[in-house]
């Protein structure tokens, strides 16, 4: 007598479930890494955007703005125009929990009299666009 077996054995089902679980775990890890890199790329782009607005301000006024005048969400503007409508805030969550970046999640701008130079401090969780991870500084000379 011929038996017609239809369906899967328990072992076959367990193997398929294990493979699906492994693949989904790997894809979630890759997605989290991609998200962290995207946040760091946004941080670098934000700092470059702030630098561009500061250079436009300098070309218009002849000095850089005072430290107190540049705050997150505030504008970079002179009497002749607005160069950046809102200073960006860093994306969250912060990827750095150790080292020089602890307690420094925001972009910090400083400029001292006679306002011929400035410094923007920020942090990166990983190397991005040729900029290494950790506490970084941007000046009129560029991003370090």
């Amino acid at each position: 007598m011929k038996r017609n077996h239809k369906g899967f054995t328990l072992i076959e089902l367990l193997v398929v479930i294990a493979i699906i679980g492994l693949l989904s775990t790997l894809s979630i890890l890759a997605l989290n890494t991609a998200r962290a890199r995207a946040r760091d790329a946004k941080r670098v782009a934000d700092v470059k955007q702030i630098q561009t607005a500061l250079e436009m301000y300098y070309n218009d006024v002849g000095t850089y703005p005072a430290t107190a005048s540049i705050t997150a969400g505030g504008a970079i503007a002179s009497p002749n125009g607005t160069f950046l409508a809102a200073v960006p805030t860093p994306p969250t969550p912060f990827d750095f929990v150790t080292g020089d970046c602890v307690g420094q999640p925001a972009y910090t701008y400083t400029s001292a009299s006679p306002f011929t130079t400035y410094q923007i401090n920020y942090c990166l969780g990983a190397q991005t666009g040729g900029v290494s991870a950790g506490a970084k500084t941007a000046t009129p000379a560029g991003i370090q």
Side-chain angles (χ1 to χ4, degrees):
M1 190 176 264
K2 193 174 185 184
R3 288 188 176 179
N4 191 2
H5 293 284
K6 292 183 181 178
F8 298 103
T9 65
L10 182 60
I11 298 295
E12 290 170 332
L13 289 173
L14 289 174
V15 168
V16 169
I17 290 171
I19 290 172
I20 290 172
L22 180 65
L23 291 174
S24 65
T25 300
L26 292 176
S27 65
I28 287 174
L29 289 175
L31 180 64
N32 286 341
T33 301
R35 284 182 180 170
R37 288 184 185 204
R39 285 190 296 270
D40 282 337
K42 179 165 179 8
R43 289 181 184 106
V44 171
D46 286 348
V47 169
K48 287 181 180 180
Q49 183 180 25
I50 295 169
Q51 283 184 298
T52 300
L54 289 170
E55 292 305 320
M56 291 171 32
Y57 183 97
Y58 184 84
N59 288 335
D60 187 48
V61 177
T63 62
Y64 291 107
T67 300
S69 65
I70 305 296
T71 59
I76 297 177
S78 75
N80 299 327
T82 301
F83 305 109
L84 185 61
V87 174
T89 57
T92 56
F94 305 113
D95 303 322
F96 31 82
V97 292
T98 61
D100 298 336
C101 292
V102 174
Q104 185 189 347
Y107 308 132
T108 56
Y109 168 83
T110 54
S111 180
S113 183
F115 306 115
T116 57
T117 189
Y118 66 84
Q119 185 172 336
I120 302 170
N121 297 315
Y122 65 101
C123 284
L124 294 178
Q127 181 175 346
T128 303
V131 182
S132 60
K136 297 291 151 205
T137 302
T139 64
I143 293 179
Q144 291 114 13

